[in-house]
Short mmCIF file of all heavy atoms in Angstrom, two decimals:
data_model
loop_
_atom_site.label_atom_id
_atom_site.label_comp_id
_atom_site.label_asym_id
_atom_site.label_seq_id
_atom_site.Cartn_x
_atom_site.Cartn_y
_atom_site.Cartn_z
N ALA A 5 41.39 -63.16 -46.28
CA ALA A 5 40.82 -64.48 -46.77
C ALA A 5 41.45 -65.49 -45.69
O ALA A 5 42.56 -65.44 -45.24
CB ALA A 5 41.58 -64.75 -48.12
N ALA A 12 44.97 -68.11 -38.06
CA ALA A 12 45.74 -66.90 -38.48
C ALA A 12 45.29 -66.45 -39.80
O ALA A 12 45.06 -67.09 -40.77
CB ALA A 12 47.21 -67.25 -38.64
N SER A 26 34.52 -45.87 -71.26
CA SER A 26 33.48 -44.87 -71.10
C SER A 26 33.33 -44.47 -69.64
O SER A 26 33.03 -43.25 -69.30
CB SER A 26 32.19 -45.40 -71.60
OG SER A 26 31.77 -46.47 -70.91
N LEU A 27 33.48 -45.47 -68.69
CA LEU A 27 33.35 -45.13 -67.34
C LEU A 27 34.57 -44.31 -66.80
O LEU A 27 34.42 -43.34 -66.03
CB LEU A 27 33.23 -46.43 -66.43
CG LEU A 27 32.03 -47.27 -66.56
CD1 LEU A 27 32.07 -48.46 -65.72
CD2 LEU A 27 30.89 -46.36 -66.23
N GLY A 31 34.43 -40.62 -65.13
CA GLY A 31 35.06 -40.42 -63.78
C GLY A 31 34.28 -41.19 -62.77
O GLY A 31 34.12 -40.59 -61.69
N SER A 38 29.44 -53.96 -53.20
CA SER A 38 28.06 -53.76 -53.21
C SER A 38 27.56 -53.26 -54.59
O SER A 38 26.32 -53.19 -54.76
CB SER A 38 27.75 -52.71 -52.13
OG SER A 38 28.52 -51.41 -52.49
N TYR A 44 32.53 -38.81 -59.24
CA TYR A 44 33.06 -37.64 -58.67
C TYR A 44 33.03 -36.51 -59.63
O TYR A 44 33.83 -35.63 -59.59
CB TYR A 44 34.39 -37.90 -58.16
CG TYR A 44 35.43 -38.53 -59.21
CD1 TYR A 44 36.21 -37.59 -59.95
CD2 TYR A 44 35.61 -39.88 -59.35
CE1 TYR A 44 37.09 -38.19 -60.89
CE2 TYR A 44 36.44 -40.32 -60.20
CZ TYR A 44 37.22 -39.58 -61.03
OH TYR A 44 38.06 -40.06 -62.00
N PRO A 48 31.68 -27.45 -60.85
CA PRO A 48 32.49 -26.59 -59.90
C PRO A 48 31.70 -25.74 -59.13
O PRO A 48 30.68 -25.06 -59.68
CB PRO A 48 33.36 -25.88 -60.92
CG PRO A 48 32.71 -25.98 -62.25
CD PRO A 48 31.87 -27.17 -62.21
N LEU A 49 32.02 -25.54 -57.82
CA LEU A 49 31.28 -24.71 -57.06
C LEU A 49 31.68 -23.15 -57.25
O LEU A 49 32.83 -22.89 -57.43
CB LEU A 49 31.59 -24.92 -55.55
CG LEU A 49 31.14 -26.38 -55.09
CD1 LEU A 49 31.59 -26.67 -53.61
CD2 LEU A 49 29.69 -26.48 -55.13
N SER A 53 29.17 -14.67 -53.35
CA SER A 53 29.54 -13.28 -52.98
C SER A 53 28.25 -12.45 -52.68
O SER A 53 27.29 -12.49 -53.38
CB SER A 53 30.34 -12.54 -54.14
OG SER A 53 29.49 -12.39 -55.20
N PRO A 55 26.47 -9.03 -52.22
CA PRO A 55 26.72 -7.56 -52.69
C PRO A 55 26.56 -6.60 -51.44
O PRO A 55 26.98 -5.52 -51.64
CB PRO A 55 25.64 -7.46 -53.69
CG PRO A 55 24.52 -8.32 -53.27
CD PRO A 55 25.31 -9.57 -52.81
N SER A 82 36.32 -4.02 -4.78
CA SER A 82 35.00 -3.78 -4.22
C SER A 82 35.16 -3.53 -2.71
O SER A 82 36.20 -3.64 -2.07
CB SER A 82 34.04 -4.85 -4.49
OG SER A 82 34.46 -5.95 -3.79
N LYS A 100 42.58 19.56 -32.81
CA LYS A 100 43.13 20.23 -34.08
C LYS A 100 44.24 21.09 -33.43
O LYS A 100 43.92 22.03 -32.70
CB LYS A 100 42.13 21.05 -34.76
CG LYS A 100 41.26 20.33 -35.75
CD LYS A 100 40.64 21.25 -36.63
CE LYS A 100 39.08 21.12 -36.56
NZ LYS A 100 38.44 22.05 -37.46
N TRP A 103 49.87 23.77 -36.82
CA TRP A 103 51.24 23.34 -37.22
C TRP A 103 51.86 24.57 -37.99
O TRP A 103 51.46 24.87 -39.08
CB TRP A 103 51.09 22.08 -38.12
CG TRP A 103 52.50 21.48 -38.64
CD1 TRP A 103 53.66 21.51 -37.97
CD2 TRP A 103 52.67 20.86 -39.81
NE1 TRP A 103 54.62 20.92 -38.74
CE2 TRP A 103 54.08 20.51 -39.79
CE3 TRP A 103 51.97 20.59 -40.94
CZ2 TRP A 103 54.67 19.82 -40.98
CZ3 TRP A 103 52.46 19.89 -42.01
CH2 TRP A 103 53.90 19.56 -41.95
N GLU A 104 52.92 25.16 -37.31
CA GLU A 104 53.55 26.33 -37.75
C GLU A 104 54.26 26.14 -39.05
O GLU A 104 54.18 26.95 -40.01
CB GLU A 104 54.41 26.87 -36.75
CG GLU A 104 54.90 28.27 -36.92
CD GLU A 104 53.80 29.35 -37.03
OE1 GLU A 104 52.84 29.28 -36.23
OE2 GLU A 104 53.81 30.28 -37.86
N THR A 116 46.17 13.56 -23.17
CA THR A 116 46.48 14.86 -22.71
C THR A 116 47.78 15.14 -22.30
O THR A 116 48.25 16.38 -22.27
CB THR A 116 45.40 15.04 -21.55
OG1 THR A 116 45.60 13.93 -20.60
CG2 THR A 116 43.89 14.99 -22.01
N ALA A 118 50.44 14.22 -23.97
CA ALA A 118 51.13 14.63 -25.23
C ALA A 118 50.76 16.09 -25.61
O ALA A 118 51.52 16.84 -26.09
CB ALA A 118 50.69 13.68 -26.31
N GLY A 135 58.82 10.20 -34.40
CA GLY A 135 59.02 9.60 -35.70
C GLY A 135 57.74 9.66 -36.51
O GLY A 135 57.45 8.77 -37.25
N ILE A 136 56.91 10.77 -36.32
CA ILE A 136 55.59 10.96 -37.00
C ILE A 136 55.88 12.05 -37.97
O ILE A 136 56.33 13.09 -37.80
CB ILE A 136 54.51 11.38 -35.97
CG1 ILE A 136 54.30 10.29 -34.95
CG2 ILE A 136 53.22 11.65 -36.77
CD1 ILE A 136 53.45 10.63 -33.98
#
Side-chain angles (χ1 to χ4, degrees):
S26 63
L27 289 179
S38 62
Y44 57 88
L49 295 175
S53 62
S82 67
K100 279 198 241 179
W103 181 31
E104 191 62 39
T116 52
I136 296 173

